[in-house]
Short mmCIF file of all heavy atoms in Angstrom, two decimals:
data_model
loop_
_atom_site.label_atom_id
_atom_site.label_comp_id
_atom_site.label_asym_id
_atom_site.label_seq_id
_atom_site.Cartn_x
_atom_site.Cartn_y
_atom_site.Cartn_z
N ASP Y 47 -1.42 -6.32 -29.82
CA ASP Y 47 -1.27 -5.62 -31.10
C ASP Y 47 -2.25 -4.46 -31.14
O ASP Y 47 -3.45 -4.64 -30.95
CB ASP Y 47 -1.53 -6.58 -32.25
CG ASP Y 47 -1.35 -5.94 -33.61
OD1 ASP Y 47 -0.82 -4.81 -33.66
OD2 ASP Y 47 -1.73 -6.56 -34.62
N VAL Y 71 -2.04 -16.06 -26.00
CA VAL Y 71 -3.21 -16.33 -25.16
C VAL Y 71 -4.40 -16.58 -26.10
O VAL Y 71 -5.17 -15.68 -26.42
CB VAL Y 71 -3.49 -15.15 -24.20
CG1 VAL Y 71 -4.67 -15.48 -23.29
CG2 VAL Y 71 -2.26 -14.84 -23.38
N ASP Y 72 -4.51 -17.83 -26.54
CA ASP Y 72 -5.57 -18.23 -27.46
C ASP Y 72 -6.44 -19.23 -26.71
O ASP Y 72 -6.29 -20.44 -26.82
CB ASP Y 72 -4.97 -18.86 -28.72
CG ASP Y 72 -5.99 -19.06 -29.82
OD1 ASP Y 72 -7.14 -18.61 -29.64
OD2 ASP Y 72 -5.66 -19.67 -30.85
N GLU Y 129 -14.40 -17.55 -19.27
CA GLU Y 129 -15.00 -16.33 -19.78
C GLU Y 129 -16.05 -15.83 -18.79
O GLU Y 129 -16.78 -16.62 -18.18
CB GLU Y 129 -15.64 -16.57 -21.14
CG GLU Y 129 -14.63 -16.66 -22.26
CD GLU Y 129 -15.30 -16.60 -23.61
OE1 GLU Y 129 -16.21 -17.39 -23.88
OE2 GLU Y 129 -14.90 -15.75 -24.42
N LEU Y 139 -18.40 -4.07 -25.37
CA LEU Y 139 -17.52 -3.45 -24.40
C LEU Y 139 -16.19 -3.11 -25.06
O LEU Y 139 -15.72 -3.83 -25.95
CB LEU Y 139 -17.29 -4.38 -23.21
CG LEU Y 139 -18.53 -4.83 -22.45
CD1 LEU Y 139 -18.16 -5.81 -21.35
CD2 LEU Y 139 -19.27 -3.64 -21.87
N GLU Y 140 -15.57 -2.03 -24.59
CA GLU Y 140 -14.31 -1.64 -25.23
C GLU Y 140 -13.24 -1.44 -24.18
O GLU Y 140 -12.80 -2.38 -23.55
CB GLU Y 140 -14.51 -0.38 -26.09
CG GLU Y 140 -13.32 -0.12 -27.01
CD GLU Y 140 -13.69 0.82 -28.13
OE1 GLU Y 140 -14.60 1.64 -27.98
OE2 GLU Y 140 -13.03 0.75 -29.18
N TYR Y 156 -15.85 -0.71 -17.50
CA TYR Y 156 -15.80 -0.83 -18.96
C TYR Y 156 -16.51 0.35 -19.61
O TYR Y 156 -17.50 0.87 -19.08
CB TYR Y 156 -16.50 -2.11 -19.43
CG TYR Y 156 -15.60 -3.27 -19.73
CD1 TYR Y 156 -15.52 -4.35 -18.86
CD2 TYR Y 156 -14.83 -3.29 -20.88
CE1 TYR Y 156 -14.71 -5.43 -19.14
CE2 TYR Y 156 -14.01 -4.36 -21.17
CZ TYR Y 156 -13.95 -5.44 -20.30
OH TYR Y 156 -13.13 -6.50 -20.58
N GLU Y 225 -21.56 0.65 -2.36
CA GLU Y 225 -21.20 -0.75 -2.59
C GLU Y 225 -21.87 -1.33 -3.83
O GLU Y 225 -21.43 -2.35 -4.36
CB GLU Y 225 -21.57 -1.59 -1.37
CG GLU Y 225 -23.04 -1.57 -1.03
CD GLU Y 225 -23.36 -2.39 0.20
OE1 GLU Y 225 -22.41 -2.92 0.81
OE2 GLU Y 225 -24.55 -2.49 0.55
N LYS Y 266 -3.45 5.73 -7.38
CA LYS Y 266 -3.19 4.72 -6.36
C LYS Y 266 -3.38 5.34 -4.99
O LYS Y 266 -3.27 6.56 -4.81
CB LYS Y 266 -1.76 4.17 -6.49
CG LYS Y 266 -1.52 3.34 -7.73
CD LYS Y 266 -0.13 2.76 -7.77
CE LYS Y 266 0.09 1.96 -9.04
NZ LYS Y 266 1.45 1.36 -9.11
N GLU Y 277 -1.31 12.54 -14.05
CA GLU Y 277 -2.19 13.04 -15.09
C GLU Y 277 -1.41 13.84 -16.13
O GLU Y 277 -0.34 14.36 -15.87
CB GLU Y 277 -3.27 13.93 -14.43
CG GLU Y 277 -4.28 14.55 -15.33
CD GLU Y 277 -5.15 13.54 -16.03
OE1 GLU Y 277 -4.68 13.05 -17.08
OE2 GLU Y 277 -6.26 13.26 -15.56
N LEU Y 308 -4.36 18.39 -1.78
CA LEU Y 308 -3.42 18.59 -0.68
C LEU Y 308 -2.08 19.11 -1.17
O LEU Y 308 -1.44 19.91 -0.50
CB LEU Y 308 -3.22 17.27 0.08
CG LEU Y 308 -4.48 16.60 0.64
CD1 LEU Y 308 -4.12 15.26 1.26
CD2 LEU Y 308 -5.16 17.50 1.65
N SER Y 328 1.72 4.88 -14.66
CA SER Y 328 2.73 5.91 -14.74
C SER Y 328 3.57 6.08 -13.48
O SER Y 328 4.52 6.82 -13.48
CB SER Y 328 2.08 7.26 -15.07
OG SER Y 328 1.43 7.20 -16.31
N THR Y 335 12.54 -0.65 0.53
CA THR Y 335 13.44 0.47 0.83
C THR Y 335 13.72 0.52 2.32
O THR Y 335 12.86 0.22 3.14
CB THR Y 335 12.82 1.81 0.36
OG1 THR Y 335 13.66 2.87 0.78
CG2 THR Y 335 11.44 2.02 0.97
N LEU Y 342 8.62 6.86 -4.36
CA LEU Y 342 7.89 6.44 -5.54
C LEU Y 342 8.69 6.76 -6.79
O LEU Y 342 9.51 7.67 -6.81
CB LEU Y 342 6.52 7.10 -5.60
CG LEU Y 342 6.41 8.62 -5.68
CD1 LEU Y 342 5.23 9.01 -6.55
CD2 LEU Y 342 6.23 9.21 -4.29
N ASP Y 351 7.65 17.55 -30.36
CA ASP Y 351 6.61 18.08 -31.22
C ASP Y 351 5.26 17.87 -30.56
O ASP Y 351 5.01 16.83 -29.96
CB ASP Y 351 6.64 17.39 -32.59
CG ASP Y 351 5.76 18.11 -33.61
OD1 ASP Y 351 4.54 17.92 -33.55
OD2 ASP Y 351 6.32 18.84 -34.44
N SER Y 372 6.68 13.55 -0.18
CA SER Y 372 6.50 15.00 -0.15
C SER Y 372 6.80 15.64 -1.49
O SER Y 372 6.83 16.87 -1.61
CB SER Y 372 7.40 15.62 0.93
OG SER Y 372 7.07 15.13 2.21
N HIS Y 408 9.36 2.90 -31.91
CA HIS Y 408 8.78 3.00 -33.24
C HIS Y 408 9.87 2.84 -34.29
O HIS Y 408 10.82 3.62 -34.33
CB HIS Y 408 8.07 4.34 -33.40
CG HIS Y 408 7.24 4.42 -34.64
ND1 HIS Y 408 7.10 5.58 -35.36
CD2 HIS Y 408 6.51 3.50 -35.28
CE1 HIS Y 408 6.32 5.36 -36.40
NE2 HIS Y 408 5.94 4.11 -36.37
N VAL Y 415 9.02 -3.96 -28.71
CA VAL Y 415 8.92 -3.79 -27.27
C VAL Y 415 10.30 -3.60 -26.66
O VAL Y 415 11.27 -4.24 -27.08
CB VAL Y 415 8.22 -5.02 -26.64
CG1 VAL Y 415 8.30 -5.00 -25.12
CG2 VAL Y 415 6.77 -5.07 -27.09
N PHE Y 416 10.41 -2.70 -25.67
CA PHE Y 416 11.67 -2.54 -24.95
C PHE Y 416 11.43 -2.71 -23.46
O PHE Y 416 10.31 -2.52 -22.95
CB PHE Y 416 12.31 -1.16 -25.22
CG PHE Y 416 11.65 -0.01 -24.52
CD1 PHE Y 416 11.97 0.31 -23.20
CD2 PHE Y 416 10.73 0.79 -25.17
CE1 PHE Y 416 11.37 1.38 -22.55
CE2 PHE Y 416 10.11 1.86 -24.53
CZ PHE Y 416 10.43 2.15 -23.21
N LEU Y 447 30.65 11.87 -34.72
CA LEU Y 447 29.69 11.52 -33.68
C LEU Y 447 29.09 12.80 -33.15
O LEU Y 447 29.82 13.69 -32.69
CB LEU Y 447 30.37 10.75 -32.54
CG LEU Y 447 29.47 10.48 -31.33
CD1 LEU Y 447 28.39 9.48 -31.69
CD2 LEU Y 447 30.30 9.98 -30.15
#
Side-chain angles (χ1 to χ4, degrees):
D47 182 11
V71 183
D72 191 6
E129 284 193 306
L139 302 177
E140 193 162 26
Y156 261 106
E225 60 182 3
K266 292 183 181 180
E277 180 64 275
L308 303 176
S328 299
T335 175
L342 61 145
D351 192 281
S372 298
H408 190 215
V415 171
F416 75 84
L447 173 69

